[in-house]
Amino acid sequence: MTGYNRALRKFVSPEFITGDGAREFAGRYSLNFNLKKVLFVTDPNIEKCSWLSHVIDSITDNGVEYEVFSSVTENPSVDEVMEGADVFSTTGCDGIIAAGGGSVLDCAKGIGIVAENGGHISGYIGLDLIKNPMPPLICVPSTAGSSADVSQYAVISDRSRRTKRLIVSKSLVPDVSLLDPVPLSTLPREVAVNSAMDALIHAIEGYCSNGSSPVTDTFGLNSVEMIIRNMSPGYWKDPERSFGIMIASLYAGLCFSNAGLGLIHSMSHALGGLTGMNHGYSSFLVAREVLEFNMDAHLVKYRTIALKFGIDCKEKRYENSELPGLINEKIMDIFGYEERPGLADVGILEDDVPELVQRTMEDPCIATNPRLPVAEDIKKMYLDLL
Amino acid sequence: MKDAENDPYYELRKKLLGLGDSSFRKTYYPVLRHKQMELERFRIILDHINDIVFLISYPDGIIVDYNLRAIEKLGLKPHEVISREISAFLFDDLGKPVSLKAMKDKGERILIRAEIACRSCGKMPVEADLSFTKYGDEIYCAIVCRDITERIQMERLILDSESQYRTTIEAITDGILVINSSGRSIIYNEAFRDMYIRFTGEEIPEKIDVSDFFKQTGLSESGDIHALMDSMDSGEIIGKVLLDDKMAVIEIKKIPIIHEFRHEQSVLIIRDITLNSVLDELRKDVLYQLNRNMEQFAILNDEIRNPLQALSGTVELKNPALAGEIQPFINEINMIVRRLDIGWLESEKVRSMIKRHYGVSVLEKDEIRDAVHYIREFRLGDENTINP
């Protein structure tokens, strides 16, 4: 009796290069894909960063033309995707290089979907609805957290309806990820911390998912361990630590992209759509209540996570019900959060709860949560979180 | 199956984990394979159409691709075509190599008649469709050449046939006018042109409105012409054209041309029957005179035969010997009168025939003079043999 999960599982990952200067391979890959002109997707802040010039130089040095699309904002909207797809088509691009955080990478995926399949991006919301593979997509992530550079997910916001919707398909896994720690050094503090939080939640949810496998477990648990080991105030200024977090984020991405996520993400997507708040931070806000809800469904795995946080479950013999609180305290300590505000503090009203519950129930991430909730369970959690 | 029944998220989870029917990693192979098959299928079409197709790089004019029919028709091997300049194969109608640059200056798409070098037939006449297009950074010219050898032969045959018909129509002394459904002329012959000038006093325009022509000639004053023109059936009318002190008699025959149950054109045959009409009238006069003469002749026969009968009877009563001597002479006179009677009967047959066939003429007695004036001036010229 090995205890291994022998259920059918699949593992898909992109080709990736890690290390200092990895971003400079963007041009070579463009050439290898026989691209003539790439759409360079980024955002206005990244556009100002000096490290970007190395990416652009590598493109031009390889004789590849490029067109910049930098109108991407946080939580990219359907309009931004459609605008980018229009630029892609009208300027005759045949591939995409995306340099930026999760928002930029998700927008680039949306652009690729529309560019190759036509129609409106809202028509691809859901699972496995993409018929034709998108053009070659080369990612240069500037944050360590979203893992959009290795995952099968793209999150697109509809601002008029204040929703965040998921596009999920194995064909959304990018062709190449160039994991270079250098861009992380230019991140603002809040973005760097929240990104790392995103990575940690990815790792925990992926590891505890009911779709996990021995392969994803390895990546998930290693990710948790590496984040705990490397997370510190100002980690992004330290080349060693930032690289460690970047690899931890890669592991988390490989884990959750193949094992699925859980209720933390379903609730976080609902909250993010309604308030526009940062995804990593909204995930942190709901994590403790979801851990409490899930604990009994996968006790061994949650105990293993607690051990990684240095919570000695065996010696001190904590009650299971105590673990979520203890884990939450450890997270706040590691990430430097002084408090965990209630949802009311971030603008959520009691009247918003039914809408949040409905959105949470409709979010596909809920399908791989270790314990399947009903609407009443979720409502209770939201009300507790207010 | 148990999972699927009890778990509302079973199918969703399957897809999330990449185990759905269409969950597989990004690969271009299925799409490329599909597109390749589409291209191969299209290539089959290109290779099997009857036209010769070349793809030429511009501006150097090098053949970069061609269809199978090209090498088949030209009788060449692939290496004799690929990478060669198109100017070695395609010549304009003056026999000079086609210049792609000159063609592009004329437009992005040009249709020309040209000749293409062919191993078996020397030069094949073609209609070449040159279309310039940009692909990537390169400009290409797609040339589709259609063999028009048969078409040229057909054109020649049609031209010859048309020439024959034209000559025939021109040789007809009746006026021929073909009009469309609006009454506008399409073609007419020389005889009609002469009539037009004669009746209107004007030079014939390029296009004629037939109703104007009828108005100018006075033919439209008769309702018959309107009924004829409005009808979709064949028909004919006879009308008179008055020119100062001259009068012409015209027969107009209309033959509609029906195409796919639609009356699209009509052929008008316009015949000048003035001379016939006058002759008819003269024949009537001659017949009348002949009638009168016959009557007089019958009376004369009776007037000869009756006294002769009386003379023969009287002599026989009074002098039988003398009667015997003169009887042969009386018999001879009787035979002569008898022969005249037979001749009269035969003449009666002729007269009946003439009456039957030439008894009708549109001309009134008082119009004969004007018609003869017309015939003198336009129909007989100086050789005037008719006296009204």
Side-chain angles (χ1 to χ4, degrees):
Chain A
M1 187 70 180
T2 60
Y4 293 134
N5 180 359
R6 284 160 45 220
L8 287 173
R9 294 292 182 259
K10 184 191 279 191
F11 191 89
V12 176
S13 84
E15 187 172 330
F16 51 82
I17 295 179
T18 57
D20 296 346
R23 67 189 185 283
E24 292 167 29
F25 281 78
R28 186 188 295 181
Y29 272 103
S30 300
L31 195 64
N32 289 341
F33 281 121
N34 197 22
L35 303 180
K36 304 292 180 200
K37 188 174 187 179
V38 295
L39 184 71
F40 196 90
V41 183
T42 187
D43 67 38
N45 294 325
I46 299 289
E47 226 179 348
K48 296 171 194 161
C49 296
S50 58
W51 60 264
L52 197 69
S53 63
H54 294 95
V55 182
I56 291 174
D57 288 349
S58 78
I59 298 168
T60 53
D61 288 351
N62 282 281
V64 178
E65 291 182 55
Y66 67 94
E67 184 75 29
V68 175
F69 177 69
S70 61
S71 309
V72 185
T73 57
E74 190 174 1
N75 298 324
S77 69
V78 290
D79 296 334
E80 287 164 19
V81 170
M82 294 311 293
E83 188 187 340
D86 187 50
V87 175
F88 183 95
S89 303
T90 54
T91 56
C93 293
D94 50 8
I96 301 172
I97 294 178
S103 296
V104 167
L105 305 187
D106 283 348
C107 188
K109 288 179 180 178
I111 290 169
I113 293 167
V114 176
E116 195 59 40
N117 293 271
H120 194 273
I121 189 63
S122 54
Y124 301 97
I125 302 289
L127 278 79
D128 289 343
L129 297 177
I130 299 157
K131 190 180 172 197
N132 298 325
M134 58 184 172
L137 173 60
I138 300 162
C139 296
V140 182
S142 66
T143 60
S146 78
S147 298
D149 53 308
V150 294
S151 82
Q152 61 168 342
Y153 296 83
V155 185
I156 306 295
S157 297
D158 185 337
R159 286 175 189 157
S160 62
R161 296 178 184 172
R162 297 168 70 197
T163 56
K164 282 173 94 169
R165 306 297 297 275
L166 286 180
I167 303 173
V168 187
S169 168
K170 289 291 176 202
S171 77
L172 276 187
V173 176
D175 297 275
V176 179
S177 179
L178 303 174
L179 292 148
D180 191 332
V182 173
L184 268 61
S185 63
T186 58
L187 287 176
R189 180 192 169 280
E190 197 175 296
V191 175
V193 173
N194 289 336
S195 298
M197 174 60 72
D198 194 14
L200 177 65
I201 301 294
H202 285 159
I204 293 172
E205 285 221 289
Y207 175 66
C208 297
S209 156
N210 61 23
S212 65
S213 72
V215 179
T216 57
D217 284 354
T218 305
F219 284 109
L221 209 52
N222 268 293
S223 177
V224 172
E225 189 180 312
M226 285 183 79
I227 290 169
I228 293 167
R229 194 190 312 145
N230 290 287
M231 192 61 203
S232 69
Y235 79 88
W236 57 99
K237 300 290 183 190
D238 179 337
E240 281 295 317
R241 287 181 181 272
S242 64
F243 185 68
I245 295 292
M246 180 158 253
I247 297 302
S249 173
L250 168 67
Y251 286 178
L254 294 173
C255 174
F256 84 81
S257 181
N258 292 286
L261 290 160
L263 188 54
I264 296 177
H265 269 80
S266 294
M267 293 176 74
S268 181
H269 289 149
L271 285 168
L274 207 62
T275 64
M277 83 170 88
N278 179 274
H279 173 62
Y281 191 64
S282 61
S283 298
F284 162 67
L285 294 184
V286 300
R288 177 178 162 171
E289 277 64 22
V290 176
L291 291 181
E292 285 172 356
F293 180 78
N294 286 343
M295 187 61 66
D296 292 339
H298 234 318
L299 197 54
V300 174
K301 283 197 168 181
Y302 285 112
R303 280 183 168 276
T304 307
I305 288 171
L307 281 169
K308 292 290 179 190
F309 275 102
I311 302 165
D312 190 351
C313 310
K314 290 174 185 172
E315 291 295 319
K316 294 183 180 176
R317 302 196 179 279
Y318 293 114
E319 293 294 324
N320 293 336
S321 59
E322 292 178 276
L323 290 180
L326 292 168
I327 291 172
N328 187 61
E329 281 174 21
K330 288 285 185 183
I331 291 173
M332 288 178 67
D333 186 38
I334 292 168
F335 281 77
Y337 292 139
E338 291 178 358
E339 58 172 357
R340 190 180 71 123
L343 294 184
D345 299 324
V346 293
I348 298 296
L349 306 172
E350 195 171 337
D351 289 347
D352 295 327
V353 171
E355 177 69 23
L356 287 168
V357 171
Q358 188 185 337
R359 291 185 186 191
T360 304
M361 289 296 289
E362 289 170 357
D363 189 275
C365 294
I366 203 169
T368 46
N369 194 60
R371 179 183 169 195
L372 297 179
V374 294
E376 275 304 311
D377 297 327
I378 296 166
K379 184 182 175 185
K380 183 177 181 308
M381 276 185 260
Y382 276 121
L383 290 173
D384 290 346
L385 282 162
L386 279 173
Chain B
M1 200 63 197
K2 192 181 169 188
D3 288 341
E5 284 171 3
N6 300 328
D7 184 354
Y9 296 109
Y10 180 79
E11 287 299 327
L12 183 63
R13 190 180 302 109
K14 245 173 67 172
K15 288 181 181 178
L16 277 171
L17 300 180
L19 299 171
D21 293 342
S22 54
S23 302
F24 57 94
R25 67 171 301 165
K26 181 181 178 183
T27 169
Y28 299 109
Y29 186 78
V31 174
L32 287 178
R33 183 82 187 108
H34 179 69
K35 290 200 181 294
Q36 185 186 355
M37 286 169 72
E38 278 185 346
L39 287 173
E40 284 173 354
R41 194 175 56 203
F42 187 69
R43 182 80 201 191
I44 290 170
I45 297 169
L46 273 184
D47 281 342
H48 288 82
I49 58 170
N50 205 30
D51 297 336
I52 296 168
V53 181
F54 291 116
L55 186 67
I56 315 293
S57 68
Y58 181 84
D60 56 16
I62 299 294
I63 299 170
V64 293
D65 206 351
Y66 55 87
N67 69 343
L68 196 62
R69 193 68 73 195
I71 54 171
E72 277 179 9
K73 284 209 168 191
L74 302 187
L76 298 171
K77 293 195 164 50
H79 71 269
E80 293 175 302
V81 176
I82 202 79
S83 301
R84 296 276 306 279
E85 285 189 30
I86 189 65
S87 56
F89 298 98
L90 196 63
F91 304 90
D92 64 17
D93 48 6
L94 299 173
K96 292 180 182 170
V98 166
S99 160
L100 281 193
K101 190 173 183 315
M103 292 294 117
K104 194 169 189 307
D105 289 344
K106 289 180 185 174
E108 293 300 305
R109 186 159 187 197
I110 313 288
L111 195 65
I112 59 166
R113 278 210 170 180
E115 289 181 323
I116 195 157
C118 168
R119 182 161 283 170
S120 59
C121 62
K123 282 185 178 174
M124 176 197 299
V126 292
E127 185 181 70
D129 185 345
L130 288 82
S131 181
F132 292 90
T133 185
K134 199 171 178 192
Y135 181 74
D137 296 333
E138 306 293 327
I139 296 174
Y140 292 96
C141 178
I143 303 180
V144 180
C145 298
R146 176 159 294 177
D147 182 354
I148 55 170
T149 308
E150 281 184 20
R151 193 201 296 179
I152 286 175
Q153 286 171 353
M154 290 299 293
E155 282 173 355
R156 280 186 191 139
L157 287 173
I158 290 168
L159 210 63
D160 288 348
S161 173
E162 197 175 295
S163 175
Q164 282 174 1
Y165 278 114
R166 189 75 215 176
T167 305
T168 306
I169 287 171
E170 291 299 347
I172 294 171
T173 54
D174 296 334
I176 307 283
L177 173 66
V178 181
I179 55 171
N180 62 17
S181 57
S182 309
R184 300 282 291 175
S185 65
I186 297 168
I187 54 167
Y188 52 79
N189 68 348
E190 192 66 21
F192 177 78
R193 194 183 76 85
D194 291 345
M195 274 185 195
Y196 188 92
I197 295 168
R198 190 188 312 150
F199 295 151
T200 65
E202 295 171 5
E203 189 55 51
I204 192 163
E206 193 177 334
K207 290 285 173 192
I208 303 159
D209 189 324
V210 77
S211 58
D212 289 346
F213 172 67
F214 290 147
K215 267 186 206 164
Q216 283 179 287
T217 55
L219 285 164
S220 60
E221 288 169 16
S222 157
D224 295 347
I225 191 75
H226 297 299
L228 178 71
M229 296 312 293
D230 291 344
S231 168
M232 287 177 64
D233 299 327
S234 297
E236 60 185 74
I237 60 154
I238 294 174
K240 298 170 197 171
V241 179
L242 189 60
L243 304 163
D244 298 329
D245 63 340
K246 296 177 273 295
M247 177 175 283
V249 184
I250 303 297
E251 182 188 75
I252 302 168
K253 184 179 282 185
K254 179 188 157 190
I255 304 166
I257 301 172
I258 307 293
H259 180 65
E260 291 182 351
F261 307 105
R262 288 176 61 191
H263 176 198
E264 294 188 340
Q265 295 178 354
S266 294
V267 179
L268 299 182
I269 302 168
I270 303 167
R271 178 176 293 163
D272 187 339
I273 58 167
T274 312
L275 182 58
N276 300 19
S277 299
V278 169
L279 289 175
D280 281 351
E281 210 50 44
L282 292 178
R283 276 191 202 100
K284 271 172 72 179
D285 282 352
V286 169
L287 189 65
Y288 177 73
Q289 193 60 47
L290 191 61
N291 257 344
R292 292 278 307 272
N293 291 349
M294 288 297 163
E295 284 169 14
Q296 291 301 315
F297 188 68
I299 293 166
L300 180 64
N301 279 2
D302 287 344
E303 284 178 355
I304 292 169
R305 194 174 279 136
N306 291 343
L308 196 63
Q309 195 73 35
L311 182 65
S312 174
T314 304
V315 172
E316 197 165 322
L317 282 172
K318 290 187 176 175
N319 190 349
L322 184 60
E325 287 179 24
I326 65 169
Q327 191 59 42
F329 299 104
I330 288 170
N331 289 345
E332 191 174 343
I333 291 168
N334 194 43
M335 281 300 290
I336 290 167
V337 172
R338 190 181 173 81
R339 280 204 297 275
L340 286 172
D341 275 346
I342 292 166
W344 178 83
L345 281 171
E346 286 175 353
S347 296
E348 177 63 20
K349 284 181 188 170
V350 173
R351 195 178 66 88
S352 298
M353 189 272 288
I354 292 171
K355 194 175 180 180
R356 194 164 57 247
H357 291 289
Y358 301 99
V360 179
S361 169
V362 292
L363 288 174
E364 303 298 332
K365 283 286 178 199
D366 56 353
E367 292 173 341
I368 295 286
R369 178 176 296 277
D370 293 343
V372 169
H373 285 162
Y374 168 79
I375 293 165
R376 274 183 185 163
E377 185 166 341
F378 297 114
R379 306 289 289 161
L380 298 175
D382 295 332
E383 296 175 10
N384 179 11
T385 57
I386 293 182
N387 289 307

